[in-house]
Amino acid sequence: MPRTEKQIKDGLTLVDAINEALAQEMERDSRVVCLGEDVGLNGGVFRVTEGLQKRFGPDRVIDSPLSESGIMGTSIGLAMAGMRPVPEIQFEGFMGPAYDQLVNHAARFRNRTRGSLTVPLTVRVPWGGGIHAPEFHSDSPEAIYIHNPGMKVVCASTPTDAKGLLLSAIRDPDPVIFFEPKRVYRSYREQVPEEEYTIPLGKAKVLAEGTDVTMITWGANVFQCLEAIDQLPEDLSVELIDLRTLNPLDWDTVCASAEKTGRVVIVQEAAKTCSLASEIMATIMERCFLNLKAPVQRVCGFDTIMPYAKLELDYLPSPKIIVEATEQVAAY
Amino acid sequence: MPVRTAYQAKIEFLQILDEHGHYDAKLAPPGTEGVLTDEQAVFLYERMIECRRLDEIAFTLQRSGRMYTYPQNKGQEAAALGSGFAMRKGTDWLVPCYRENAALFLHGLPMHLVFLHWMGDERGNAIPAGVNVTPIAIPIGTQMLHATGMAWAFKMRKDDRCVITYFGDGATSEGDFHEAMNFATTFNVPAIFFCQNNQWAISVPREQQMASETVAQKALAYGAQCVQVDGNDIFAVYKATYDARERARAGGGVTLIEAVTYRLGDHTTADDARRYRNSEEVEAWQSKDPLIRLRKFITAKGLWDDAKQAAIEEKAKAMVAEVVKKSEGIEKPSTDEMFNFLYAQIPEELRKQRDTLRTHSLGLDPAQAGLRAGSH
Ligand SMILES: Cc1ncc(C[n+]2csc(CCOP(=O)(O)OP(=O)(O)O)c2C)c(N)n1
Ligand SMILES: [Mg+2]
């Protein structure tokens, strides 16, 4: 689909970039099908699949029955039988019914069959808070899927990364969960290469180089961290890492930075306990112990359930708290 | 050997009051069990008006940024009210989805709580003691199993209570629906499964959601009773639910009621139904609006006139204003609200997070940060 004037002038949103990636991959590979609740005629509740059914037909862009277990389980079958399904779960809060199929089946077939049956599917999931959505529409469950082996987990924060990472995900021979930060969906635009390209899974991106403190994050919090950096004293040199792929994680980039600065702040929306932040801390502890100058800090969601909209911004890590934690780490 | 018929069934469709306001007295002789009296019909019509006006104001609040996402109930009031009215207030339990406000109000749920919920305020889910309803269920289909368990408990405890659970046509695709039906019938619990088949699950029409002709027939697979009713006919809805309740109380089994109705509004305020359904369809259903039908009926019976209509509109207006005032007048919840209801007793670490609103260790324990500050 040709880009609109606005897209040409102001760039693509995350939604636009994912849509373009899906269209290009469906064009390139006839095995790719999209399925999920309302993804067809309606273009998905976030319009990420807008126009795809019209272009590729209802056999390739499929409005499924309202059943997450059904969507995930049949996607496994489709994948094992030679298709490249890209199912959508409408909100991360509804991954519950799909959990068993995803964790106990999609993630295990390769291992269970000694490599004879594989599940190359990419499940797209709108993820995280910040848009004042109803209950069960704002969670950050990535740690659950990182903890369980067998799935790759991606979380793109920018349109350019989203396009390249999604194309890698769809072409990956293993199941990939592709988390899409809702808060960024339409809040940020940038120029994105029009032709198809891939960004390898498992590679973090250093967004800003620095020498005093390392800030590690992913998803919508990349933007919270950028805001925090703006507010921090200019002579504090912060290195900002966007992980982009959460599993497998780019430990070399993380540890090289931790060793360089000796001071680390990890920022995530998810609740603190047993989270990805916990794992990053543990690994830095194991690998960079002698280089640390301060205890690694986690700015996280509280160990509570994501509150309804009125308290949402009190729950999510704010630039203010990120600044405070960074200053404390820097001064320690 | 001749082929034997192993099973045979038919699905009945019940309509007592048609869309022109004609009442079938043969099907529902006035004065018999399960038939609404004139006073009850008027009472329910008034509740319908109130619920509709409340629904309209919720929509405008959302449009002006004073409420977050809201799912309109418009067009489905007869289904909610007729069924809710058949359940005994304070005795039976309602396990709803999110499109049966009128039934919840009938059972005593303060209206402003529903508004609070959609304004993103969890205090809207604090259900007053004695109001036998569970909170609005957002994850589709999950509540049906809870309803089954509750009904099971009442059976175990020989407690004369029934449970009605509400869900949409789309919800019947979730495994939970099938599991709940199977448990409910296998253990013969006093539960009623009330499907508000409003023809759409967001953008997916019923015919695309399932290959079966009716939702009702799904009951047959589980050995439940079933009936399809005109969901915009409050008499039919009431009668079917009343019969199901009496059957359940007598240990006679589970009933699946399919109320054939229509979602006159968008799925929620975040949706634009014009993207996927045509206006002719909506217009055709507008003429079947349950409010119009019931008003025709009570007017023809001499129970209603324009003066009464004006009076109830006045009353509804005042009531709606009061609900808006109450739900908007409340102060922002304290951040403590996030923490205080997770456990009966708050764990120490969580208490620290609550009191400092921090998660990083130097922020949780500023003394630790201070200890080394300036030492480098
Ligand atoms: C488990 C789950 N999956 C998806 C959703 C998103 N969602 C909300 S309502 C809805 C459609 C529900 O359709 P139906 O059951 O017919 O009820 P209706 O909204 O028409 O009353 C969907 C897909 C959800 N809330 N929960
Ligand atoms: Mg529906």
Side-chain angles (χ1 to χ4, degrees), chain A residues 37-45 47 50 53 63-69 90 93-94 97 131-137 263 272-273 293-311 314-315 320-321 324-325 328-332, chain B residues 68-69 116-123 125 136 138-140 170-171 173-175 201-204 208-209 270-272 275-276 327 330-335 337-339 342-343 349-350 353-354 357-364 366 368-369 372-376:
Chain A
E37 295 154 13
D38 308 286
V39 302
L41 186 56
N42 199 30
V45 294
R47 310 286 179 250
E50 172 98 59
Q53 188 182 66
D63 281 318
S64 76
L66 206 180
S67 161
E68 291 74 17
S69 178
Q90 203 160 76
F94 308 131
I131 61 158
H132 296 321
E135 188 183 22
F136 293 104
H137 288 69
R263 302 174 191 275
K272 174 178 163 180
T273 299
K293 299 175 189 152
V296 177
Q297 294 298 293
R298 284 177 284 177
V299 178
C300 304
F302 302 111
D303 285 318
T304 68
I305 289 154
M306 178 70 170
Y308 288 13
K310 275 191 188 173
L311 288 175
D314 295 283
Y315 174 93
K320 180 173 160 256
I321 305 273
E324 177 197 293
Q328 285 172 341
V329 163
Y332 190 89
Chain B
Y68 297 117
T69 310
L116 273 182
H117 174 100
W118 297 113
M119 287 176 169
D121 193 324
E122 266 150 298
R123 291 170 295 185
N125 281 355
I136 286 164
I138 304 280
I140 297 296
S173 293
E174 291 280 7
I202 310 186
S203 71
V204 179
Q208 245 175 279
Q209 186 70 239
D271 177 49
D272 178 3
R275 292 173 62 89
Y276 52 77
S327 47
I330 186 169
E331 76 295 351
K332 189 190 166 200
S334 135
T335 52
E337 288 270 336
M338 284 190 264
F339 301 88
L342 272 175
Y343 305 97
E349 159 72 13
L350 201 56
Q353 291 185 14
R354 180 190 69 189
L357 288 177
R358 301 286 185 276
T359 50
H360 59 289
S361 60
L362 297 177
L364 275 166
Q368 199 202 349
R372 294 288 300 275
S375 64
H376 286 264

Side-chain angles (χ1 to χ4, degrees), chain A residues 37-38 66 68 90-91 94 97 137, chain B residues 76 97-99 138-140 167-172 174 196 198 200-202 263 267:
Chain A
E37 295 154 13
D38 308 286
L66 206 180
E68 291 74 17
Q90 203 160 76
F91 286 86
F94 308 131
H137 288 69
Chain B
Q76 300 182 216
C97 181
Y98 48 76
R99 242 187 263 282
I138 304 280
I140 297 296
F167 52 97
D169 42 303
T172 65
E174 291 280 7
Q196 291 216 59
N198 62 5
W200 291 90
I202 310 186
R263 194 193 80 207
H267 170 67

Side-chain angles (χ1 to χ4, degrees), chain B residues 17 20-23 37-38 41 235 292-303:
Chain B
L17 183 68
H20 309 293
H22 298 141
Y23 184 93
T37 65
D38 286 352
F235 288 92
I292 302 175
R293 186 182 309 197
L294 189 54
R295 182 171 176 180
K296 274 186 189 157
F297 172 77
I298 54 179
T299 305
K301 286 204 93 180
L303 303 164

